[in-house]
Amino acid sequence: MPDTSRSAISLSAIAAVLMVLPACERASDEKKAAPPAAWTLDESKLQQPIRFAATDLDPAQSACRDLGAYANGKWLAANEIPADEPGWGAFLVLRNRSLGVLQQLAERIAAEPNATGIDKIIGDFWVTGMDEKKLNEEGLAPLEGRLAAIAALTDGPSVAEHLRKIAAVGENPLFAFGPEPDFKNSTLNIASAFQGGLGLPDSTYYSLGDKKPIRDAYEKYMAKLFELAGTAPADAEKQARTVLAFETRLAKASKSNEQLSRDVELYYHPVKIAEADKLAPNFPWTKFFESQKVATPEWFSLGIPSFHQEVSRMLGDVPVAQWQSWLRFKLLDDASPYLSDAFVSEHFNFYGKTLQGQKEQRARWKRVLGVIENSAGEAMGQRYVEVAFPASSKAQMLELVNNLRDALKVRIQNLTWMGEDTKKKALEKWASFNTKIGYPDKWRDWSGLTTGRDSLYGNVAAATAFNYQYQLDKIGKPVDKDEWGMTPQTINAYYNPQLNEIVFPAAILQPPFFDPQADEALNYGAIGAVIGHELIHGYDDQGSRFGPSGNFEEWWSKEDAARFKALTSKLVTQYNGYTAAPGLTEKVNGNLTLGENIADLGGLNVAYDAFQKAVAGKPDPKIDGMTRDQRFFLGYAAAWREKYTPELTRMIVASDPHAPGGVRANGTPTNIDAFARAFGCKEGDAMVNSGEKKVAIW
């Protein structure tokens, strides 16, 4: 499914990622050692990646009518969505391959009797997570102390104190808090708070009429959790209603994903501590900083201040019993994946079946690897790259990135709609791009995280507290530019505007995105477009608001900004016209997806330019009867070979800044003359935008 992505506030909150699928001091100096011979992967047990083949092409389709159907239709028709997945295609195939690698590593690591360091952490999580019998015997026992603390609350001030206490160990269900590079000085981490508290995918789910069935299912899910925790059915239903009412009130004070994706400034609202205390008198921020043992700063960023103002009001006028119900639910909801099968099943029934249309629960080993990813992902990543990422791939990728960067520079220089002063700043930003490929140069230090083989929930709680403290330790300190926002085993890529960096984890550098054995056309069309996509995020409607240094600044002339907005509005109109998937009526939201669509369009153009330079003067090999230009665009389309359940598609359309893969395969090429030339498409064909409909930006 589309990325995942989105950790506390910090860099990841405003980083632009390729997809959405579902950190402490300086990194340690532990060296990357060669893997022991016994750790050679058993390739026969791994999911094989998708490689583009001429036999995939559907002769009943036309590239000029529907490129996605022509390139991917046969494969999609022949490959059903697995029962334990909400979708299937290029990204999810690679994710399952990555999981297979991690499973082999975890099993071998856990079998080591005297493991230390990161291996002990990985092994402890694996053993406690795989012990289904013990988890079922424990039932609700791991939460008894926390539930008792909620039951003891008596009024608004005691609720506020409880929120501070649980936040201090990283368990804050109400809002996000952590470090964020200062928008005005991106070299320094400041404290930042942001909205939270909602269990549904977007604030709009709490009000839209067509989302009522999901709200009803959410309410039933809450009641089920209360019953499993020992509440009588009638009272459980009553508490569930009050929790939904509680979150509905929070939702009214929250910004939607569409608003957040189109106005990055919402993440930054500097206030002095005294002002924050006055704005939220029932939740004084001075006390909060003291409770987190963070030096009280003169000012910090209070994102969406109206949300925090409403929280303060709720601490004054919401009955303590309603606060208790909501806190109980949030605790049970967050802990369910680490408890007995009864809790796990209810959690899956709502988040998997109802929201995403997934038919079956994933195997326990896959779920346990997900827990390790969330709790100690970079530790596992250190072992992953030892067995699954050849050094040659990093070198080849760096060459591709440099070629794409050169092509982007030429495009910026040749822009006709941008004035020279703005263009000069755009080139300064181009010159300051940083590239990260594969894995961090230095690994994070995990010493201080104590885990054991007694309790999965205990290990999760320990890691949560450890990781939260790691984040708090950054506040007031320089930004560590060596740190990564994704683990090496993640099938994704991202751009971070405050560091002006593009990042490509090891796991995405596999077919169909990157194949060392493939011809240049396929690689430039697939991973080249991914590289270009991340580069263009630096110049999309939000990334372009950050200058060469990563600071939030106005570097555009008013005239150029107006011309840019006019061009991007045409892209909004184009994508508003797409239906999300065949058989559905839901339309893509062109405004919500604008940033990703800008990146797709500019990225594919830049990739094509770089490709043409790379093959200049070489004869066209015409592999399998296809010209290299045709293979370039087919390689791009094949990277978006994916389909989702109707439920997941609807959730993507409602809350995800990425359009569904089928739309992305078709939307971008319609604006590129080289695509039409490659396949002999004519004006009037569905895959050709002309005149005012044609969009050209970067």
Side-chain angles (χ1 to χ4, degrees):
M1 71 182 266
D3 196 316
T4 104
S5 320
R6 282 89 163 161
S7 49
I9 302 208
S10 182
L11 306 178
S12 62
I14 55 173
V17 294
L18 179 67
M19 287 285 292
V20 236
L21 291 175
C24 46
E25 322 205 8
R26 296 263 327 164
S28 74
D29 292 326
E30 185 173 351
K31 304 298 182 184
K32 179 176 178 290
W39 280 27
T40 302
L41 292 171
D42 184 346
E43 186 71 29
S44 68
K45 295 181 179 180
L46 299 178
Q47 172 78 52
Q48 294 305 300
I50 302 170
R51 284 181 164 85
F52 173 79
T55 53
D56 292 336
L57 300 179
D58 186 349
Q61 298 288 342
S62 164
C64 296
R65 184 173 61 247
D66 188 331
L67 176 64
Y70 178 63
N72 302 327
K74 279 177 65 177
W75 188 94
L76 293 173
N79 289 267
E80 294 297 322
I81 296 174
D84 67 344
E85 295 286 356
W88 198 236
F91 280 86
L92 284 162
V93 164
L94 283 187
R95 188 180 74 173
N96 275 270
R97 178 177 174 81
S98 179
L99 288 173
V101 172
L102 299 175
Q103 179 189 23
Q104 292 185 36
L105 288 171
E107 288 175 342
R108 291 167 184 173
I109 289 170
E112 294 291 327
N114 300 310
T116 59
I118 61 173
D119 290 338
K120 181 181 185 303
I121 294 169
I122 293 167
D124 289 346
F125 269 102
W126 182 257
V127 170
T128 54
M130 292 300 293
D131 193 345
E132 186 173 2
K133 182 175 181 292
K134 184 173 183 179
L135 287 167
N136 284 326
E137 289 173 347
E138 285 181 336
L140 203 60
L143 303 185
E144 287 177 352
R146 287 167 166 81
L147 289 169
I150 294 171
L153 301 176
T154 57
D155 52 19
S158 68
V159 171
E161 179 62 20
H162 178 76
L163 289 168
R164 288 189 286 268
K165 284 182 178 178
I166 61 176
V169 292
E171 298 174 10
N172 187 348
L174 189 55
F175 59 87
F177 179 78
E180 174 188 348
D182 185 355
F183 271 37
K184 300 299 183 183
N185 176 14
S186 63
T187 65
L188 179 68
N189 280 312
I190 60 168
S192 179
F194 203 66
Q195 69 180 37
L198 305 181
L200 293 176
D202 187 59
S203 61
T204 57
Y205 272 65
Y206 292 85
S207 57
L208 293 178
D210 66 338
K211 297 296 185 289
K212 186 178 185 304
I214 292 177
R215 290 196 295 275
D216 291 344
Y218 186 44
E219 188 176 313
K220 289 178 181 177
Y221 164 61
M222 296 181 204
K224 277 290 187 182
L225 288 193
F226 287 135
E227 285 187 50
L228 288 175
T231 304
D235 193 36
E237 292 176 5
K238 179 181 177 182
Q239 289 192 45
R241 285 194 296 273
T242 67
V243 172
L244 184 59
F246 183 98
E247 291 194 5
T248 299
R249 182 170 170 181
L250 279 181
K252 290 177 180 177
S254 303
K255 300 297 182 183
S256 69
N257 289 354
E258 180 177 348
Q259 291 171 308
L260 294 174
S261 67
R262 300 280 60 83
D263 188 0
V264 70
E265 195 169 3
L266 290 172
Y267 288 94
Y268 185 71
H269 184 80
V271 295
K272 293 184 177 180
I273 286 287
E275 294 172 351
D277 285 348
K278 185 176 181 180
L279 180 139
N282 294 320
F283 194 82
W285 285 93
T286 301
K287 274 191 174 184
F288 181 78
F289 276 93
E290 290 172 354
S291 69
Q292 308 308 291
K293 295 183 171 53
V294 174
T296 304
E298 181 182 352
W299 63 274
F300 71 107
S301 176
L302 188 66
I304 320 297
S306 57
F307 171 84
H308 300 283
Q309 196 169 31
E310 181 67 357
V311 166
S312 179
R313 293 191 193 101
M314 292 172 74
L315 284 167
D317 62 32
V318 170
V320 68
Q322 191 173 3
W323 272 101
Q324 288 172 311
S325 294
W326 180 76
L327 287 166
R328 228 178 343 257
F329 165 68
K330 297 302 284 187
L331 174 62
L332 294 169
D333 182 45
D334 289 344
S336 286
Y338 322 119
L339 300 176
S340 65
D341 285 345
F343 283 96
V344 171
S345 294
E346 292 301 336
H347 190 272
F348 165 72
N349 285 340
F350 178 70
Y351 293 106
K353 282 187 177 179
T354 299
L355 282 183
Q356 301 185 54
Q358 189 175 324
K359 293 180 176 64
E360 295 178 3
Q361 178 75 271
R362 290 190 180 99
R364 176 169 290 278
W365 66 267
K366 290 184 179 181
R367 289 181 275 131
V368 175
L369 288 172
V371 176
I372 297 174
E373 177 73 13
N374 291 333
S375 299
E378 192 174 302
M380 180 63 97
Q382 187 169 343
R383 295 294 176 243
Y384 173 86
V385 299
E386 290 171 351
V387 298
F389 186 64
S392 57
S393 291
K394 190 166 186 173
Q396 286 178 267
M397 265 295 289
L398 189 57
E399 181 181 357
L400 281 167
V401 170
N402 288 335
N403 291 345
L404 267 289
R405 289 186 75 245
D406 290 344
L408 174 59
K409 181 180 182 180
V410 173
R411 278 205 160 250
I412 294 172
Q413 291 171 329
N414 293 336
L415 287 176
T416 57
W417 57 266
M418 180 177 280
E420 290 305 314
D421 289 343
T422 307
K423 194 177 290 187
K424 181 180 178 182
K425 294 291 285 187
L427 289 170
E428 284 181 29
K429 185 166 187 174
W430 170 88
S432 68
F433 269 114
N434 184 35
T435 303
K436 295 177 179 177
I437 298 171
Y439 53 87
D441 291 332
K442 290 185 178 181
W443 295 102
R444 180 181 161 183
D445 182 3
W446 291 89
S447 59
L449 173 56
T450 302
T451 58
R453 299 201 170 182
D454 293 327
S455 169
L456 174 62
Y457 185 79
N459 287 337
V460 170
T464 299
F466 179 80
N467 289 328
Y468 180 62
Q469 189 58 53
Y470 172 56
Q471 295 293 336
L472 293 188
D473 288 345
K474 299 176 185 178
I475 295 174
K477 296 178 182 177
V479 172
D480 183 356
K481 294 188 176 182
D482 293 327
E483 189 173 37
W484 280 50
M486 284 181 182
T487 63
Q489 61 271 28
T490 302
I491 317 301
N492 218 320
Y494 70 92
Y495 168 72
N496 189 316
Q498 292 177 288
L499 297 184
N500 199 31
E501 64 180 10
I502 53 175
V503 185
F504 307 96
I508 199 174
L509 304 181
Q510 302 177 76
F513 299 99
F514 175 69
D515 186 350
Q517 277 73 54
D519 56 295
E520 288 176 300
L522 290 181
N523 275 329
Y524 271 95
I527 197 64
V530 172
I531 296 167
H533 175 104
E534 301 308 338
L535 285 168
I536 294 297
H537 267 313
Y539 303 95
D540 70 21
D541 66 318
Q542 298 306 310
S544 63
R545 302 177 74 182
F546 294 84
S549 66
N551 290 342
F552 189 75
E553 59 182 276
E554 293 288 345
W555 55 272
W556 292 67
S557 72
K558 290 183 179 180
E559 296 77 12
D560 290 336
R563 283 190 285 266
F564 180 57
K565 185 172 179 58
L567 291 172
T568 60
S569 68
K570 292 169 65 175
L571 207 56
V572 172
T573 300
Q574 176 185 336
Y575 280 82
N576 278 341
Y578 289 123
T579 299
L584 298 182
T585 59
E586 286 81 4
K587 295 283 189 177
V588 173
N589 183 334
N591 196 49
L592 172 63
T593 60
L594 178 59
E596 300 301 325
N597 298 333
I598 293 171
D600 278 351
L601 177 56
L604 189 58
N605 271 312
V606 170
Y608 182 78
D609 290 354
F611 170 56
Q612 292 304 301
K613 184 177 180 181
V615 300
K618 299 179 184 178
D620 189 338
K622 291 191 176 180
I623 300 171
D624 294 323
M626 291 174 280
T627 68
R628 60 190 175 203
D629 275 19
Q630 289 174 336
R631 289 176 67 81
F632 170 87
F633 288 106
L634 289 168
Y636 169 77
W640 295 112
R641 181 175 294 177
E642 56 191 29
K643 59 182 176 180
Y644 321 119
T645 62
E647 293 86 351
L648 178 57
T649 303
R650 293 186 182 103
M651 189 171 83
I652 290 170
V653 169
S655 61
D656 197 317
H658 306 78
V663 174
R664 297 178 78 172
N666 279 345
T668 295
T670 62
N671 294 304
I672 299 178
D673 291 340
F675 165 76
R677 289 195 302 269
F679 291 96
C681 304
K682 302 291 190 293
E683 187 171 344
D685 288 337
M687 287 295 300
V688 177
N689 283 343
S690 58
E692 279 302 305
K693 287 187 175 181
K694 182 181 175 183
V695 186
I697 306 173
W698 293 103

